[in-house]
Each structure stands twice: as C-alpha cells, then as structure tokens.
Amino acid sequence: MKTLALILTLAATPLLAQGVPGQHFVENWDLNGDGAVSLEEATERRGDVFTSFDQNEDGALDAEEYVVFDEARALDMQNEGAGHGGGNMQNAAEGMELAMNDVDGDGKVTREEFISQAAVWIANMDLNEDGVITTEDFAMRRQMMGGQGKGKAKN
Ligand SMILES: [Ca+2]
Ligand SMILES: [Ca+2]
Ligand SMILES: [Ca+2]
C-alpha cells in the first residue's frame, strides 16, 4: 500500500511542477530521476559545475572565474523565482560562493575544495533531515534548534 501511494505521488509530480519551490533545482541535480538529490549526485554535479566554470582549466576557480559563476547563479535564482521559493534557494546559492568553498582561504577554490563542500551544502539544504534534497525541503522553513547540523555527519 505504501508503495502504491508513493507511485501515485511520483506520477502526480509533473502536473504540479509549475510553481513548486525547488522543482527546478531538483530537476537539475537529480541525475537518476528519483525525485531526490543525493550526496553522490550533488558531488558528481558539483564536479560538472566546476569544470564548466574553470575556464583556464587550471583546477581552481579564481576570483575572475567566480564573477562569471556568480552571474550565472544570479540568473538561475531569477529563473527559479527565488522570491517566494523560501530560504532554501538562498542556501543553494550560498553553498556555491567562493567564501563558502575556499576551505584553505587562499582566495580560490580548487576542485577538491569545491567537491568536499557537497556534504555541507546538502546538510544546509536538507531541512527535513532525510539525507537527500527534495522539493519538500524547499517547502519547509528551517527550524531553529540548538546544535542542529554540526557534528552529525552521516556517512
Ligand atoms: Ca536522485
Ligand atoms: Ca582555496
Ligand atoms: Ca531532505
């Protein structure tokens, strides 16, 4: 019975696609089409994103390359209608920023740094804490709970 309900839910999704917060994001990042973005998928896609913005192919995104990257994300936010998408599109965008990914603080983001932040990125967006990103996470508001997130690494 549970399975049937799940199938019906999935089948109904395309009809609701318009105007669902996060739908565009999930479609972009859900590689196997199960409606959820896993850490594996996020890691792989971040690798792709990195490759597309590392214009001089030196294995790092510097400030100049980040200008282009920032503009692309701003455009993406507009397309997503971030205004009413809640805070999670903001989380998604912030998780791409230079400051968020420059782990060693040398002013540029290497591929390793960028990919290593996938887990943090997912954790920031995973508001219902099921370990994957779905439109449900975009429909939720982050609850202020002490000690949430940090120190609860799932591997
Ligand atoms: Ca998936
Ligand atoms: Ca760095
Ligand atoms: Ca989730």
Side-chain angles (χ1 to χ4, degrees):
M1 274 303 144
K2 229 178 178 178
T3 313
L4 181 64
L6 184 68
I7 290 166
L8 291 175
T9 309
L10 290 175
T13 303
L15 298 172
L16 301 169
Q18 277 189 339
V20 175
Q23 181 82 33
H24 176 67
F25 175 88
V26 172
E27 276 171 6
N28 269 333
W29 289 79
D30 174 21
L31 298 176
N32 66 0
D34 68 350
V37 181
S38 65
L39 175 58
E40 289 71 28
E41 288 168 333
T43 304
E44 188 176 335
R45 287 285 275 140
R46 280 174 77 95
D48 294 344
V49 168
F50 187 94
T51 303
S52 18
F53 289 99
D54 181 16
Q55 289 168 330
N56 63 3
E57 297 179 7
D58 68 345
L61 298 181
D62 56 32
E64 231 170 90
E65 286 165 338
Y66 245 98
V67 172
V68 181
F69 189 16
D70 287 343
E71 279 170 5
R73 288 200 314 284
L75 207 68
D76 220 40
M77 288 281 282
Q78 276 172 24
N79 292 339
E80 184 75 24
H84 26 237
N88 227 9
M89 270 321 290
Q90 197 67 38
N91 289 338
E94 279 173 5
M96 294 289 178
E97 283 173 5
L98 199 160
M100 290 286 287
N101 289 283
D102 183 13
V103 178
D104 65 2
D106 69 347
K108 51 190 184 181
V109 177
T110 63
R111 174 179 287 276
E112 289 68 33
E113 286 174 324
F114 195 69
I115 286 173
S116 76
Q117 292 308 295
V120 177
W121 189 56
I122 289 288
N124 281 338
M125 287 186 285
D126 184 16
L127 300 191
N128 66 359
E129 300 190 315
D130 63 351
V132 293
I133 306 306
T134 61
T135 51
E136 201 178 301
D137 294 304
F138 287 86
M140 289 180 70
R141 290 187 178 279
R142 177 176 287 283
Q143 286 164 10
M144 290 302 185
M145 290 191 293
Q148 189 191 3
K150 307 263 193 278
K152 224 180 54 172
K154 291 166 209 159
N155 278 317

